[in-house]
Amino acid sequence: QKEVEQDPGPLSVPEGAIVSLNCTYSNSAFQYFMWYRQYSRKGPELLMYTYSSGNKEDGRFTAQVDKSSKYISLFIRDSQPSDSATYLCATCIYNQGGKLIFGQGTELSVKP
Amino acid sequence: EPEVTQTPSHQVTQMGQEVILRCVPISNHLYFYWYRQILGQKVEFLVSFYNNEISEKSEIFDDQFSVERPDGSNFTLKIRSTKLEDSAMYFCASSGADSNQPQHFGDGTRLSIL
């Protein structure tokens, strides 16, 4: 079983739609959860960082973690064409040298 | 906003040659990392570095790889004898006071082995 699984998409939505991106993970020792956005030929850009179950909101972005189900989500409200990118979930174990385990990434396209 | 910078953006090297990839982490960060991303695949952890020592390394990070912080600002990844399968994007990242802090990435070096 893969440590972090993420539907690679591609996912195409109209501008203004609510986008839901999801990952599942297998290891209950994972404690920190991140969402990164990656534009073509660029590095991952940190969007959200959380370590507890529940929701964390930042502008149009909401990260949701359910540790009991080992499920993490990123919601994007009022999606914009500039949100078109690949979204990566990542997680790590506390005090394991910061080793991030990434999902495959979901390619999102927001059409005007 | 402070950022991680990487040079060069693209490196082309003959198989068997040594290559050094360079990174300038965010200035007050203490933890430094290298990741790689083979085309179409996941971002994979290579190594983490703190206080002039390797903290953690993956199975990929074998004897062909080494890291160094030669001065107060640079962090380098050396591949001693490159192989075709080393062709990938290499990302440097840094984080603040401890390894559990969020990591910030550079835009990567695309390494092409011929």
Side-chain angles (χ1 to χ4, degrees):
Chain A
Q1 186 180 14
K2 293 180 184 176
E3 289 190 284
V4 179
E5 299 211 42
Q6 185 176 6
D7 186 341
L11 179 63
S12 182
V13 301
E15 184 175 354
I18 296 174
V19 176
S20 172
L21 304 167
N22 308 295
C23 287
T24 57
Y25 62 94
S26 57
N27 189 343
S28 57
F30 289 139
Q31 293 178 285
Y32 295 84
F33 305 93
M34 288 129 273
W35 283 96
Y36 287 87
R37 177 173 62 194
Q38 188 176 25
Y39 292 115
S40 180
R41 299 189 179 277
K42 292 287 190 180
E45 173 194 359
L46 181 68
L47 286 177
M48 302 291 280
Y49 170 82
T50 184
Y51 51 85
S52 56
S53 280
N55 292 353
K56 181 176 181 179
E57 192 173 316
D58 184 359
R60 297 185 295 112
F61 299 92
T62 300
Q64 189 175 80
V65 175
D66 182 346
K67 289 188 177 181
S68 62
S69 302
K70 299 191 185 70
Y71 195 85
I72 57 177
S73 301
L74 178 71
F75 299 97
I76 308 174
R77 287 185 299 283
D78 186 25
S79 56
Q80 303 295 308
S82 58
D83 295 329
S84 298
T86 296
Y87 289 79
L88 309 172
C89 62
T91 182
C92 67
I93 297 173
Y94 178 74
N95 273 354
Q96 201 178 60
K99 174 184 175 181
L100 290 183
I101 307 297
F102 281 86
Q104 178 74 23
T106 299
E107 185 183 344
L108 172 67
S109 176
V110 182
K111 305 292 188 187
Chain B
E1 186 174 320
E3 58 182 23
V4 176
T5 57
Q6 290 186 243
T7 55
S9 57
H10 188 197
Q11 174 82 46
V12 181
T13 302
Q14 291 288 331
M15 186 173 61
Q17 296 296 304
E18 175 183 287
V19 66
I20 296 175
L21 309 182
R22 302 180 192 280
C23 169
V24 178
I26 294 172
S27 63
N28 61 346
H29 281 185
L30 301 178
Y31 284 82
F32 315 114
Y33 313 86
W34 285 101
Y35 292 81
R36 79 171 186 191
Q37 186 175 31
I38 295 170
L39 188 63
Q41 297 187 23
K42 292 185 179 187
V43 176
E44 300 175 287
F45 171 82
L46 291 177
V47 66
S48 60
F49 190 86
Y50 168 73
N51 199 25
N52 278 324
E53 288 185 348
I54 290 174
S55 301
E56 186 79 22
K57 62 181 181 178
S58 72
E59 292 171 355
I60 303 166
F61 194 88
D62 61 21
D63 293 342
Q64 294 298 312
F65 291 87
S66 62
V67 289
E68 190 179 26
R69 186 142 162 92
D71 54 43
S73 59
N74 290 283
F75 180 51
T76 62
L77 175 69
K78 182 192 291 187
I79 309 175
R80 256 181 280 283
S81 178
T82 49
K83 307 182 188 72
L84 293 176
E85 54 265 37
D86 293 328
S87 295
M89 284 291 292
Y90 287 81
F91 294 108
C92 174
S94 67
S95 64
D98 66 64
S99 63
N100 302 308
Q101 293 294 307
Q103 295 176 29
H104 298 268
F105 284 73
D107 280 339
T109 293
R110 182 155 65 102
L111 179 62
S112 299
I113 308 299
L114 303 179

